[in-house]
Short mmCIF file of all heavy atoms in Angstrom, two decimals:
data_model
loop_
_atom_site.label_atom_id
_atom_site.label_comp_id
_atom_site.label_asym_id
_atom_site.label_seq_id
_atom_site.Cartn_x
_atom_site.Cartn_y
_atom_site.Cartn_z
N VAL A 96 30.54 66.79 30.17
CA VAL A 96 30.43 67.94 31.06
C VAL A 96 31.83 68.49 31.28
O VAL A 96 32.73 67.79 31.73
CB VAL A 96 29.75 67.57 32.40
CG1 VAL A 96 29.77 68.74 33.36
CG2 VAL A 96 28.32 67.10 32.15
N LEU A 97 32.03 69.77 30.95
CA LEU A 97 33.32 70.43 31.09
C LEU A 97 33.46 71.13 32.43
O LEU A 97 34.54 71.16 33.00
CB LEU A 97 33.52 71.45 29.96
CG LEU A 97 33.45 70.91 28.54
CD1 LEU A 97 33.50 72.06 27.54
CD2 LEU A 97 34.57 69.91 28.29
N GLU A 98 32.35 71.70 32.90
CA GLU A 98 32.41 72.48 34.14
C GLU A 98 31.01 72.57 34.74
O GLU A 98 30.04 72.83 34.03
CB GLU A 98 32.93 73.88 33.83
CG GLU A 98 33.06 74.79 35.00
CD GLU A 98 33.58 76.17 34.61
OE1 GLU A 98 33.65 76.50 33.41
OE2 GLU A 98 33.89 76.93 35.53
N LYS A 99 30.93 72.36 36.05
CA LYS A 99 29.68 72.57 36.78
C LYS A 99 29.87 73.79 37.65
O LYS A 99 30.81 73.86 38.44
CB LYS A 99 29.34 71.36 37.64
CG LYS A 99 28.84 70.18 36.85
CD LYS A 99 28.34 69.09 37.77
CE LYS A 99 27.75 67.97 36.94
NZ LYS A 99 27.10 66.97 37.78
N MET A 100 29.00 74.77 37.48
CA MET A 100 29.02 75.98 38.29
C MET A 100 27.84 75.92 39.24
O MET A 100 27.14 74.92 39.28
CB MET A 100 28.98 77.20 37.36
CG MET A 100 30.21 77.26 36.45
SD MET A 100 29.96 78.21 34.94
CE MET A 100 29.32 76.95 33.85
N GLN A 101 27.58 76.97 39.99
CA GLN A 101 26.49 76.95 40.96
C GLN A 101 25.18 76.48 40.36
O GLN A 101 24.58 75.53 40.84
CB GLN A 101 26.29 78.34 41.56
CG GLN A 101 27.27 78.66 42.63
CD GLN A 101 26.96 80.00 43.26
OE1 GLN A 101 26.35 80.87 42.65
NE2 GLN A 101 27.37 80.17 44.51
N ASP A 102 24.73 77.17 39.33
CA ASP A 102 23.43 76.85 38.75
C ASP A 102 23.50 76.58 37.25
O ASP A 102 22.48 76.57 36.58
CB ASP A 102 22.44 77.98 39.04
CG ASP A 102 22.89 79.31 38.44
OD1 ASP A 102 24.07 79.42 38.07
OD2 ASP A 102 22.05 80.22 38.33
N ARG A 103 24.73 76.40 36.73
CA ARG A 103 24.91 76.20 35.29
C ARG A 103 25.87 75.06 35.02
O ARG A 103 26.66 74.67 35.86
CB ARG A 103 25.45 77.47 34.64
CG ARG A 103 24.47 78.62 34.68
CD ARG A 103 25.08 79.89 34.17
NE ARG A 103 26.09 80.30 35.15
CZ ARG A 103 27.18 81.01 34.86
NH1 ARG A 103 27.41 81.40 33.64
NH2 ARG A 103 28.04 81.35 35.80
N VAL A 104 25.78 74.55 33.79
CA VAL A 104 26.67 73.50 33.32
C VAL A 104 27.22 73.91 31.96
O VAL A 104 26.45 74.34 31.09
CB VAL A 104 25.93 72.14 33.20
CG1 VAL A 104 26.81 71.09 32.54
CG2 VAL A 104 25.44 71.67 34.55
N ARG A 105 28.55 73.81 31.79
CA ARG A 105 29.18 74.00 30.47
C ARG A 105 29.55 72.62 29.97
O ARG A 105 30.16 71.83 30.70
CB ARG A 105 30.41 74.88 30.58
CG ARG A 105 31.10 75.10 29.24
CD ARG A 105 32.26 76.08 29.34
NE ARG A 105 31.84 77.42 29.71
CZ ARG A 105 31.29 78.30 28.87
NH1 ARG A 105 31.10 77.98 27.62
NH2 ARG A 105 30.94 79.49 29.29
N CYS A 106 29.14 72.31 28.74
CA CYS A 106 29.36 70.97 28.22
C CYS A 106 29.72 71.02 26.73
O CYS A 106 29.61 72.05 26.08
CB CYS A 106 28.12 70.11 28.44
SG CYS A 106 26.65 70.74 27.63
N ARG A 107 30.16 69.87 26.22
CA ARG A 107 30.53 69.75 24.80
C ARG A 107 29.86 68.48 24.26
O ARG A 107 29.71 67.50 24.97
CB ARG A 107 32.05 69.64 24.67
CG ARG A 107 32.51 69.46 23.23
CD ARG A 107 34.02 69.54 23.08
NE ARG A 107 34.43 70.91 23.34
CZ ARG A 107 35.42 71.25 24.17
NH1 ARG A 107 36.10 70.33 24.79
NH2 ARG A 107 35.72 72.52 24.35
N PHE A 108 29.48 68.56 22.98
CA PHE A 108 28.87 67.40 22.33
C PHE A 108 29.14 67.46 20.83
O PHE A 108 29.37 68.53 20.28
CB PHE A 108 27.36 67.33 22.62
CG PHE A 108 26.61 68.57 22.24
CD1 PHE A 108 26.08 68.72 20.97
CD2 PHE A 108 26.44 69.61 23.15
CE1 PHE A 108 25.39 69.87 20.61
CE2 PHE A 108 25.76 70.75 22.81
CZ PHE A 108 25.23 70.89 21.54
N PRO A 109 29.12 66.30 20.16
CA PRO A 109 29.37 66.27 18.71
C PRO A 109 28.27 67.00 17.94
O PRO A 109 27.10 67.00 18.34
CB PRO A 109 29.34 64.77 18.38
CG PRO A 109 29.57 64.07 19.68
CD PRO A 109 28.99 64.96 20.74
N ALA A 110 28.65 67.62 16.83
CA ALA A 110 27.71 68.40 16.02
C ALA A 110 26.53 67.56 15.56
O ALA A 110 25.41 68.07 15.48
CB ALA A 110 28.43 69.01 14.82
N GLU A 111 26.75 66.28 15.30
CA GLU A 111 25.64 65.46 14.82
C GLU A 111 24.57 65.25 15.89
O GLU A 111 23.46 64.82 15.59
CB GLU A 111 26.13 64.10 14.30
CG GLU A 111 26.69 63.19 15.35
CD GLU A 111 28.20 63.07 15.31
OE1 GLU A 111 28.86 63.91 14.68
OE2 GLU A 111 28.72 62.14 15.93
N ASN A 112 24.88 65.60 17.15
CA ASN A 112 23.91 65.47 18.24
C ASN A 112 23.26 66.79 18.63
O ASN A 112 22.62 66.88 19.68
CB ASN A 112 24.57 64.84 19.47
CG ASN A 112 25.00 63.42 19.24
OD1 ASN A 112 26.18 63.13 19.17
ND2 ASN A 112 24.04 62.52 19.10
N LEU A 113 23.39 67.81 17.80
CA LEU A 113 22.80 69.11 18.14
C LEU A 113 21.29 68.99 18.35
O LEU A 113 20.75 69.51 19.33
CB LEU A 113 23.10 70.14 17.04
CG LEU A 113 22.50 71.53 17.25
CD1 LEU A 113 22.98 72.16 18.55
CD2 LEU A 113 22.82 72.43 16.06
N GLY A 114 20.59 68.31 17.47
CA GLY A 114 19.15 68.13 17.61
C GLY A 114 18.80 67.36 18.87
O GLY A 114 17.84 67.71 19.59
N ASP A 115 19.58 66.32 19.18
CA ASP A 115 19.35 65.54 20.40
C ASP A 115 19.56 66.41 21.64
O ASP A 115 18.81 66.31 22.61
CB ASP A 115 20.30 64.34 20.46
CG ASP A 115 20.10 63.39 19.30
OD1 ASP A 115 18.95 63.21 18.86
OD2 ASP A 115 21.11 62.82 18.83
N PHE A 116 20.60 67.25 21.60
CA PHE A 116 20.89 68.10 22.76
C PHE A 116 19.80 69.14 22.96
O PHE A 116 19.35 69.36 24.09
CB PHE A 116 22.26 68.77 22.64
CG PHE A 116 22.63 69.54 23.87
CD1 PHE A 116 23.04 68.88 25.01
CD2 PHE A 116 22.54 70.92 23.89
CE1 PHE A 116 23.37 69.59 26.17
CE2 PHE A 116 22.85 71.63 25.04
CZ PHE A 116 23.27 70.97 26.18
N THR A 117 19.36 69.78 21.90
CA THR A 117 18.29 70.78 22.05
C THR A 117 17.00 70.12 22.53
O THR A 117 16.26 70.72 23.32
CB THR A 117 18.06 71.57 20.75
OG1 THR A 117 17.78 70.68 19.68
CG2 THR A 117 19.28 72.42 20.40
N ALA A 118 16.72 68.89 22.10
CA ALA A 118 15.56 68.17 22.60
C ALA A 118 15.70 67.87 24.10
O ALA A 118 14.74 68.02 24.87
CB ALA A 118 15.36 66.87 21.82
N PHE A 119 16.91 67.48 24.51
CA PHE A 119 17.21 67.23 25.93
C PHE A 119 16.94 68.49 26.76
O PHE A 119 16.29 68.44 27.80
CB PHE A 119 18.67 66.77 26.06
CG PHE A 119 19.20 66.77 27.46
CD1 PHE A 119 18.89 65.75 28.35
CD2 PHE A 119 20.05 67.78 27.89
CE1 PHE A 119 19.40 65.75 29.64
CE2 PHE A 119 20.57 67.79 29.18
CZ PHE A 119 20.23 66.77 30.06
N VAL A 120 17.42 69.64 26.27
CA VAL A 120 17.24 70.91 26.96
C VAL A 120 15.76 71.26 27.06
O VAL A 120 15.25 71.62 28.13
CB VAL A 120 18.03 72.04 26.25
CG1 VAL A 120 17.63 73.42 26.76
CG2 VAL A 120 19.53 71.82 26.41
N ARG A 121 15.04 71.10 25.95
CA ARG A 121 13.61 71.44 25.90
C ARG A 121 12.79 70.52 26.82
O ARG A 121 11.96 70.98 27.59
CB ARG A 121 13.12 71.35 24.46
CG ARG A 121 11.70 71.82 24.24
CD ARG A 121 11.29 71.81 22.78
NE ARG A 121 11.63 70.59 22.07
CZ ARG A 121 12.62 70.47 21.15
NH1 ARG A 121 13.34 71.51 20.82
NH2 ARG A 121 12.86 69.32 20.56
N GLU A 122 13.04 69.21 26.75
CA GLU A 122 12.28 68.24 27.55
C GLU A 122 12.44 68.45 29.05
O GLU A 122 11.53 68.18 29.82
CB GLU A 122 12.70 66.81 27.19
CG GLU A 122 12.25 66.39 25.82
CD GLU A 122 12.95 65.12 25.33
OE1 GLU A 122 13.76 64.52 26.09
OE2 GLU A 122 12.71 64.74 24.16
N ARG A 123 13.59 68.93 29.49
CA ARG A 123 13.83 69.14 30.91
C ARG A 123 13.55 70.57 31.37
O ARG A 123 13.75 70.89 32.53
CB ARG A 123 15.26 68.74 31.25
CG ARG A 123 15.37 67.23 31.28
CD ARG A 123 16.78 66.75 31.24
NE ARG A 123 16.84 65.30 31.28
CZ ARG A 123 16.52 64.50 30.27
NH1 ARG A 123 16.07 65.00 29.16
NH2 ARG A 123 16.62 63.18 30.37
N GLY A 124 13.13 71.42 30.43
CA GLY A 124 12.83 72.80 30.77
C GLY A 124 14.05 73.62 31.15
O GLY A 124 13.96 74.57 31.92
N LEU A 125 15.21 73.22 30.62
CA LEU A 125 16.45 73.94 30.90
C LEU A 125 16.52 75.21 30.06
O LEU A 125 15.80 75.34 29.06
CB LEU A 125 17.66 73.06 30.59
CG LEU A 125 17.74 71.71 31.32
CD1 LEU A 125 18.90 70.89 30.77
CD2 LEU A 125 17.86 71.92 32.81
N ILE A 126 17.38 76.11 30.44
CA ILE A 126 17.62 77.32 29.66
C ILE A 126 19.04 77.27 29.11
O ILE A 126 19.99 77.11 29.88
CB ILE A 126 17.43 78.58 30.53
CG1 ILE A 126 16.00 78.66 31.03
CG2 ILE A 126 17.82 79.84 29.74
CD1 ILE A 126 15.78 79.74 32.07
N MET A 127 19.16 77.36 27.79
CA MET A 127 20.47 77.36 27.16
C MET A 127 20.90 78.82 26.98
O MET A 127 20.22 79.59 26.31
CB MET A 127 20.44 76.65 25.81
CG MET A 127 21.81 76.46 25.23
SD MET A 127 21.92 75.55 23.65
CE MET A 127 20.45 74.62 23.51
N THR A 128 22.02 79.19 27.61
CA THR A 128 22.49 80.58 27.53
C THR A 128 23.60 80.75 26.50
O THR A 128 23.91 81.88 26.12
CB THR A 128 23.00 81.05 28.90
OG1 THR A 128 24.02 80.15 29.36
CG2 THR A 128 21.86 81.11 29.91
N GLU A 129 24.18 79.64 26.04
CA GLU A 129 25.24 79.71 25.03
C GLU A 129 25.31 78.40 24.28
O GLU A 129 25.12 77.33 24.86
CB GLU A 129 26.59 79.98 25.70
CG GLU A 129 27.75 80.04 24.74
CD GLU A 129 29.09 80.22 25.45
OE1 GLU A 129 29.11 80.52 26.64
OE2 GLU A 129 30.11 80.04 24.77
N CYS A 130 25.54 78.48 22.99
CA CYS A 130 25.77 77.29 22.18
C CYS A 130 26.58 77.75 20.97
O CYS A 130 26.11 78.56 20.17
CB CYS A 130 24.46 76.64 21.74
SG CYS A 130 24.71 75.08 20.87
N ARG A 131 27.82 77.25 20.85
CA ARG A 131 28.67 77.69 19.74
C ARG A 131 29.45 76.52 19.17
O ARG A 131 29.82 75.60 19.88
CB ARG A 131 29.62 78.79 20.19
CG ARG A 131 30.61 78.35 21.24
CD ARG A 131 31.58 79.47 21.59
NE ARG A 131 32.32 79.15 22.79
CZ ARG A 131 33.33 78.30 22.85
NH1 ARG A 131 33.75 77.69 21.77
NH2 ARG A 131 33.95 78.06 23.99
N LEU A 132 29.67 76.60 17.87
CA LEU A 132 30.48 75.62 17.18
C LEU A 132 31.94 75.92 17.48
O LEU A 132 32.39 77.06 17.33
CB LEU A 132 30.23 75.69 15.67
CG LEU A 132 30.92 74.65 14.80
CD1 LEU A 132 30.46 73.25 15.15
CD2 LEU A 132 30.61 74.94 13.33
N ASP A 133 32.67 74.93 17.97
CA ASP A 133 34.07 75.13 18.30
C ASP A 133 34.88 75.30 17.03
O ASP A 133 34.67 74.58 16.05
CB ASP A 133 34.62 73.94 19.09
CG ASP A 133 33.97 73.80 20.45
OD1 ASP A 133 33.47 74.80 20.97
OD2 ASP A 133 33.95 72.68 20.98
N ARG A 134 35.78 76.26 17.04
CA ARG A 134 36.64 76.54 15.89
C ARG A 134 38.09 76.30 16.28
O ARG A 134 38.48 76.54 17.41
CB ARG A 134 36.49 77.99 15.43
CG ARG A 134 35.09 78.39 15.04
CD ARG A 134 34.61 77.80 13.77
NE ARG A 134 35.48 78.14 12.65
CZ ARG A 134 35.35 77.66 11.44
NH1 ARG A 134 34.38 76.83 11.18
NH2 ARG A 134 36.16 78.00 10.49
N MET A 135 38.88 75.87 15.32
CA MET A 135 40.29 75.66 15.52
C MET A 135 41.02 76.99 15.33
O MET A 135 40.69 77.75 14.43
CB MET A 135 40.79 74.64 14.49
CG MET A 135 42.27 74.34 14.55
SD MET A 135 42.76 73.12 13.33
CE MET A 135 42.33 71.63 14.20
N SER A 136 41.99 77.29 16.18
CA SER A 136 42.80 78.50 16.01
C SER A 136 43.90 78.22 14.99
O SER A 136 44.22 77.06 14.69
CB SER A 136 43.42 78.92 17.35
OG SER A 136 44.43 77.99 17.72
N LEU A 137 44.51 79.28 14.48
CA LEU A 137 45.62 79.11 13.54
C LEU A 137 46.78 78.39 14.21
O LEU A 137 47.45 77.57 13.60
CB LEU A 137 46.06 80.46 12.98
CG LEU A 137 47.15 80.42 11.92
CD1 LEU A 137 46.76 79.52 10.74
CD2 LEU A 137 47.49 81.82 11.44
N GLU A 138 46.98 78.66 15.49
CA GLU A 138 48.05 77.97 16.21
C GLU A 138 47.78 76.47 16.27
O GLU A 138 48.68 75.65 16.07
CB GLU A 138 48.19 78.54 17.63
CG GLU A 138 49.34 77.94 18.40
CD GLU A 138 49.56 78.62 19.74
OE1 GLU A 138 48.93 79.65 20.03
OE2 GLU A 138 50.40 78.10 20.49
N GLU A 139 46.53 76.07 16.55
CA GLU A 139 46.18 74.65 16.56
C GLU A 139 46.37 74.03 15.17
O GLU A 139 46.85 72.90 15.05
CB GLU A 139 44.75 74.46 17.04
CG GLU A 139 44.56 74.79 18.51
CD GLU A 139 43.09 74.90 18.91
OE1 GLU A 139 42.27 75.38 18.10
OE2 GLU A 139 42.79 74.52 20.05
N ALA A 140 45.97 74.76 14.13
CA ALA A 140 46.15 74.27 12.76
C ALA A 140 47.64 74.11 12.44
O ALA A 140 48.05 73.13 11.81
CB ALA A 140 45.50 75.22 11.76
N PHE A 141 48.45 75.06 12.88
CA PHE A 141 49.89 75.01 12.68
C PHE A 141 50.48 73.74 13.29
O PHE A 141 51.19 72.98 12.63
CB PHE A 141 50.52 76.26 13.29
CG PHE A 141 52.02 76.27 13.27
CD1 PHE A 141 52.71 76.69 12.14
CD2 PHE A 141 52.74 75.87 14.38
CE1 PHE A 141 54.09 76.71 12.12
CE2 PHE A 141 54.13 75.89 14.36
CZ PHE A 141 54.81 76.31 13.24
#
């Protein structure tokens, strides 16, 4: 869990757990408003 807001949670998880996470969201009746693959910036690569 990266951040808890009033009614939302921002979190991070390994790519291999994408199916597990979507199942978790579906089983609890949660609404996913964003899901993105993290990318490295050129500065981070540098």
Side-chain angles (χ1 to χ4, degrees):
V96 174
L97 302 173
E98 181 180 11
K99 286 188 176 187
M100 297 157 272
Q101 280 184 334
D102 60 345
R103 293 174 291 152
V104 173
R105 179 175 296 282
C106 60
R107 178 172 292 131
F108 55 89
E111 68 254 16
N112 294 110
L113 178 60
D115 299 324
F116 185 75
T117 56
F119 167 78
V120 168
R121 186 175 47 252
E122 289 166 4
R123 284 165 180 73
L125 303 173
I126 298 170
M127 188 177 340
T128 56
E129 179 184 348
C130 186
R131 63 177 168 77
L132 185 62
D133 294 336
R134 301 289 302 174
M135 178 179 278
S136 70
L137 184 56
E138 184 174 352
E139 291 167 325
F141 174 84

